[in-house]
Each structure stands twice: as structure tokens, then as C-alpha cells.
Amino acid sequence: MGNSSNSDNGHFALSGKNLGPCRELVGNIYVMLFFVHTPLHPWSEAKKEEAFRQTWSSIGYMKKEAVRYGAGVDMRVAWFEYSLPFEHDKELKWYHTILRDYFHNESMADLLKYYEGYFKVDNAAIVFLFNSSDRSHCYMSTKAFPYWKEEFGVIFFGKDFHDNYLTHEFLHLFGAIDLYDYDNEGVRAVAEQYFPDSIMMKSTYVIDELTAYLIGWTKQPSPKVLQFLSKTKGLRKG
């Protein structure tokens, strides 16, 4: 976990900090971006070019924000493609199919560890890209679900897709949390007080102090972060 005493106090915001294969968004990062074709939603060359543009915009933005916090991030990007014989489903059949048939592996955690060692980088991460509309999300390791060791992102390039959506999900992979929290009015109210313009709160281009701490850009929580953690402790589980 982190370097602050707050990292072990059971706070929900810290439950995924520095856990899993994607530990911190610092140093050299090997990023695998995976175009997933499905029967009803294949990727056209034009749509892939748009995904390229959005991705490099997102990476450039994160690198710029990292400098603002005195952190260094260098992302090496590799592109993959796979034609799934069925549509995306939420039961992860698609994920296990790609992992087995394309990578000949049964564990995403093992796969990322292999690439991390092979390319001699600080972290490796993978994001699957679908040319359809759904809610983008991440699977990440947390103390609340200690049995889950896999970490990866799932991005849907729907009509309203924007590069800050990709940034939002990528930050999740490395420990960031949602601040909008529509299921918990107490957390949302405190977040709106301390980090109202955060990319983890709304569609902006601001990486707030809490997010910077969670992803490893700062090693100690700022006074504002400590106040947020104090006011939200116990308001949400996990």
C-alpha cells in the first residue's frame, strides 16, 4: 500500500491503492490497446484512426498532468486486434475467450507480469476497445475483493465518446476512484466541496490531488486530501 499512515486505515478510497498488476502510473508503462471486433460491431479503418487520435490525446494529457505534480510517465503503446465470434457480454466470457485464444494464457495478472519483465518496464496495462455503445469500466484489484487479481479496462467507443472517458478509465486501472458516487450522497457532497472539477467527478481535464495521490504521482496526501479522507471515512464500504 501507500507511504502514508492513511493507507492502512480501511478507507474505501484507498482500498485499491498500489494493489494488483497496475500499481502506480509512474515510470515506464507498457500499454496494450486491443481492438475487439464483434459480428455486429466491427472496427472500420476510419474508426480505428479516430481511436488512435483519441488515445494519443489522452496519453499526452496524462503526461502533461503528471509533470504538474512532479511525476514522470512514459507510455509505450502496442495495438492488437481480435475478432470475437459473439457480441460483448457482461459475464466476461469474451475476456476469457481472448485471454485463452489470443494470448494462450489463463490469467491477466500473469500476462501483465510477463510483459512487464519482458519489456523491462515499471508497469504493464491492457485496455479492450469495443466499437459499440455501453458503459466503459475497469476491473481492478481492491482490498474489498482480495480474490480478484485481474486488472484491465473496457472502453466503448460510442457516438458520444471523448478522450477524457479513456483517461478516466485508465486512471481507474492505477487506483483512482469515482468521485461522483451517485449511490452515496454523503461522498458526493464532500467530493463536490473539495474536488468539484476533477475528471473523476465530471467530463473535465483536471486530475485532482486525491487522484494524483492514489495513482502514485504524489507520495504523501495533501492537506485537502487528508480532509476529504477524514470527512468520508465510513461513508462507503469497499
Side-chain angles (χ1 to χ4, degrees), residues 57-157:
S57 174
S58 175
I59 288 175
Y61 162 66
M62 285 187 282
K63 291 173 70 173
K64 182 179 178 180
E65 282 288 275
V67 171
R68 186 165 67 87
Y69 283 99
V73 180
D74 186 16
M75 298 186 193
R76 176 180 178 180
V77 179
W79 300 87
F80 300 81
E81 291 191 50
Y82 179 82
S83 293
L84 198 65
F86 51 85
E87 291 302 305
H88 170 271
D89 66 274
K90 292 182 171 60
E91 285 72 37
L92 293 182
K93 178 182 177 182
W94 64 270
Y95 152 70
H96 292 295
T97 298
I98 295 174
L99 194 60
R100 182 186 65 248
D101 293 352
Y102 190 95
F103 290 108
H104 307 292
N105 204 311
E106 297 294 331
S107 168
M108 179 63 70
D110 289 346
L111 182 68
L112 295 181
K113 184 177 181 180
Y114 166 78
Y115 278 111
E116 184 179 310
Y118 184 83
F119 289 108
K120 296 180 173 59
V121 294
D122 298 297
N123 271 291
I126 187 166
V127 177
F128 296 97
L129 311 176
F130 286 87
N131 187 28
S132 55
S133 296
D134 205 329
R135 184 174 180 177
S136 298
H137 54 278
C138 280
Y139 293 89
M140 57 186 290
S141 301
T142 68
K143 283 188 172 182
F145 300 97
Y147 61 87
W148 181 260
K149 305 298 182 183
E150 311 288 80
E151 292 191 319
F152 56 93
V154 185
I155 303 293
F156 295 93
F157 276 74

Side-chain angles (χ1 to χ4, degrees), residues 1-2 7-8 14-24 123 139-146 148-151 172-175 214:
M1 293 294 287
S7 61
D8 294 318
L14 303 168
S15 67
K17 179 173 171 55
N18 210 22
L19 287 183
C22 302
R23 297 175 299 279
E24 293 184 324
N123 271 291
Y139 293 89
M140 57 186 290
S141 301
T142 68
K143 283 188 172 182
F145 300 97
W148 181 260
K149 305 298 182 183
E150 311 288 80
E151 292 191 319
H172 272 311
L173 273 181
F174 290 88
L214 294 177

